[in-house]
Amino acid sequence: MMRGLVKGDNAFVPTAPLRVAVRNGVDVAVLLLAEGGRVRGDADIVFHGAPVHSSGAVRLSEGGDGDGTVWLETGLPAVEEDITRVLVVASTESGTLRDVEGLSVAVLGTDGTAVVGYEVTDAGGETAMVLAELYRRAGGWKFRAVGQGYLDGLTGLAVDHGVDVPEDNGTEAAPDHGVDVPKAPGTEAAPDHGVDVPEDHGADTAEEAPVENRAPETRAPEPKAPEPDLPPSPPQAVAKVVEPPAQVPAAPALAPFPEPVADWTFGAFFEPHTLSGPGNDVISVEGLPPGPVVVELALRTEGYTGVWTLTPDNREDDLLVNSTEEDFRGRLLVVVPENGRLRLKLRADGPWQARVLPLAAARRLSEETMEGWGPDVLLHTGGTADAALHYRGSSNFIVDVFELAGHDDPTALPDARPGYINEIGRRRETLELPEGPLLVHLARADGPWRARLKQPRAATAWLRRARR
């Protein structure tokens, strides 16, 4: 016999494949949440456009009898270990949830017997609701009747659970103060986990003895002995104070060498070359394989930073960096000529470090949000996808894409794909990427940014619905 729950109640369910029925005529989605109550990325949203989770543990299907029931197949033993909660979400395309008759959710066992259920009786003007959740407890799984509605629809629900909600357009009207901006190297503070830690004054502190109030003792002055007549002292030499030399600021440290992307095949692989210097210089490395490489650069400076490629006769060629930002850092895309000799002119008023890396050492785009500061080189190795970019600088933001599929000359780059980003100021942009392998080149980005791959377009449509 099914156990009917009221809002807030919970009950254990078998850790086995289960069927969850959601009635009556609502849109249904499932959010798989990790520790902290947030999705790990768009792939943790299961809905009609992306009905199967990548783990295979969650699957949505419509009822075949046309009664408005949506079925959720859950293989609880197959749920990934870092997923702690599975939310069942209902929403309406028009009207509110109070208009839905018989809004309910029920859990059925493998034999079709109803185990537990919840009927929503207090829906109001909400257009989206967390109906119920399956969550881990004491080595098993429990079902909770949640019934938490959202008057602001899927927008509030999505944001509450870590979904990156897409914007209408690329411009931003106001600064985003809710985002942690990456700091210059060497300025990171200790993490604040939001816990007030009491000072440790010692477990056993001795109690101080009380001090008696006493009047100060009065003593007669000691008689002074007569001073002998001494000859005048010769003049003493005054030691000259020598100021210590000013300390030269150290160059900022480069990030640890990343693990190369194992399945990246374009361009040669080689061990990184690291260089450093006190200021204006020529960065010169010989014996490199011809073709595109990544040059990582970090400076300690308060003024201008400029980087140019140099021709064989030492003339300035391509301008790679033209920045007035303090403590510039970034990754540059540079093509090594056929002679294997890389030469870059650097104009900087402070110490610097540089590292020359193979393309395989660049970071790969994924559905996990990556953060960066300054120009960079990103890899895409999957199929067609949309990439979300959030730039929070105030100057130029220029992004190029180089398609490498079918390009068989590893010593040169193909022409950049037209129609990409060339804007100024804070932006939210979506890049429509073709099938990889390809390079996403942030050629100008004097400021912090975020990047991630969105779900395929059907899932992107669900996220855009969240803005209603």
Side-chain angles (χ1 to χ4, degrees):
M1 180 177 179
M2 183 179 75
R3 178 182 174 185
L5 302 182
V6 298
K7 185 174 180 177
D9 279 355
N10 62 80
F12 275 102
V13 295
T15 304
L18 300 174
R19 300 188 76 201
V20 179
V22 181
R23 302 178 175 92
N24 190 11
V26 291
D27 289 339
V28 178
V30 179
L31 303 183
L32 287 82
L33 307 183
E35 197 71 36
R38 300 171 68 84
V39 297
R40 299 168 300 179
D42 292 349
D44 287 338
I45 304 168
V46 178
F47 71 112
H48 67 89
V52 182
H53 189 257
S54 58
S55 66
V58 177
R59 181 186 303 267
L60 278 180
S61 62
E62 300 287 341
D65 52 8
D67 63 352
T69 301
V70 177
W71 290 94
L72 164 64
E73 313 283 345
T74 61
L76 293 181
V79 174
E80 296 163 302
E81 290 186 3
D82 54 345
I83 296 298
T84 60
R85 298 163 61 198
V86 179
L87 301 191
V88 181
V89 174
S91 61
T92 59
E93 291 190 24
S94 60
T96 64
L97 290 174
R98 76 157 62 91
D99 303 322
V100 179
E101 296 183 5
L103 178 59
S104 65
V105 56
V107 178
L108 289 76
T110 53
D111 60 355
T113 302
V115 177
V116 68
Y118 164 53
E119 183 176 356
V120 178
T121 59
D122 59 350
E126 307 97 330
T127 58
M129 176 181 288
V130 178
L131 287 176
E133 67 175 347
L134 294 162
Y135 62 100
R136 296 184 189 270
R137 181 57 54 89
W141 286 86
K142 298 189 84 173
F143 173 91
R144 177 183 287 123
V146 179
Q148 180 182 354
Y150 287 80
L151 290 173
D152 51 357
L154 287 174
T155 299
L157 191 154
V159 171
D160 274 3
H161 297 98
V163 178
D164 189 1
V165 179
E167 296 290 332
D168 270 335
N169 51 55
T171 58
E172 292 185 347
D176 183 356
H177 298 291
V179 178
D180 294 331
V181 177
K183 296 178 175 59
T187 61
E188 293 82 357
D192 180 3
H193 299 292
V195 179
D196 294 329
V197 180
E199 295 183 8
D200 184 6
H201 296 290
D204 298 315
T205 303
E207 183 178 347
E208 295 184 2
V211 179
E212 298 180 5
N213 293 325
R214 298 180 180 177
E217 296 182 0
T218 304
R219 296 185 179 181
E222 296 287 342
K224 292 185 178 181
E227 297 181 0
D229 294 333
L230 297 175
S233 300
Q236 300 293 322
V238 179
K240 183 178 180 181
V241 178
V242 179
E243 294 289 339
Q247 185 175 3
V248 177
L254 296 169
F257 179 63
E259 288 292 330
V261 176
D263 55 351
W264 184 262
T265 59
F266 186 82
F269 183 81
F270 55 88
E271 291 299 318
H273 296 257
T274 303
L275 307 92
S276 61
N280 296 339
D281 211 332
V282 172
I283 299 173
S284 182
V285 180
E286 301 202 18
L288 292 171
V293 297
V294 176
V295 177
E296 187 176 17
L297 188 61
L299 293 93
R300 186 81 67 203
T301 176
E302 297 181 356
Y304 175 75
T305 301
V307 178
W308 296 261
T309 58
L310 291 175
T311 64
D313 57 353
N314 271 346
R315 297 180 184 273
E316 293 177 3
D317 195 5
D318 294 332
L319 177 62
L320 304 179
V321 177
N322 183 29
S323 174
T324 57
E325 295 290 331
E326 295 184 7
D327 296 338
F328 175 87
R329 64 266 191 204
R331 287 180 158 196
L332 315 178
L333 180 61
V334 186
V335 177
V336 177
E338 291 184 2
N339 61 12
R341 188 183 186 193
L342 174 66
R343 287 177 59 79
L344 302 175
K345 177 180 177 180
L346 170 65
R347 180 178 171 187
D349 63 357
W352 55 270
Q353 284 201 54
R355 185 163 55 193
V356 183
L357 307 167
L359 285 180
R363 292 186 288 174
R364 190 205 312 245
L365 281 166
S366 72
E367 290 177 357
E368 297 293 325
T369 299
M370 70 168 63
E371 297 194 5
W373 197 107
D376 211 325
V377 181
L378 309 177
L379 310 181
H380 175 55
T381 57
T384 58
D386 293 338
L389 295 177
H390 183 188
Y391 175 61
R392 302 190 298 279
S394 59
S395 57
N396 293 75
F397 185 50
I398 301 176
V399 181
D400 298 320
V401 171
F402 297 93
E403 292 186 72
L404 301 177
H407 182 72
D408 55 2
D409 182 4
T411 67
L413 286 172
D415 292 336
R417 181 175 171 134
Y420 280 84
I421 301 172
N422 188 348
E423 302 289 349
I424 297 176
R426 301 167 67 92
R427 306 289 300 177
R428 284 185 187 267
E429 296 281 355
T430 297
L431 286 178
E432 298 176 350
L433 299 179
E435 185 175 355
L438 57 81
L439 301 175
V440 177
H441 179 212
L442 279 63
R444 295 283 191 277
D446 279 359
W449 51 265
R450 284 182 170 183
R452 65 175 181 83
L453 290 182
K454 295 183 177 182
Q455 270 288 89
R457 298 195 179 161
T460 302
W462 185 88
L463 291 176
R464 286 173 179 164
R465 286 194 64 226
R467 303 194 67 259
R468 294 180 182 177

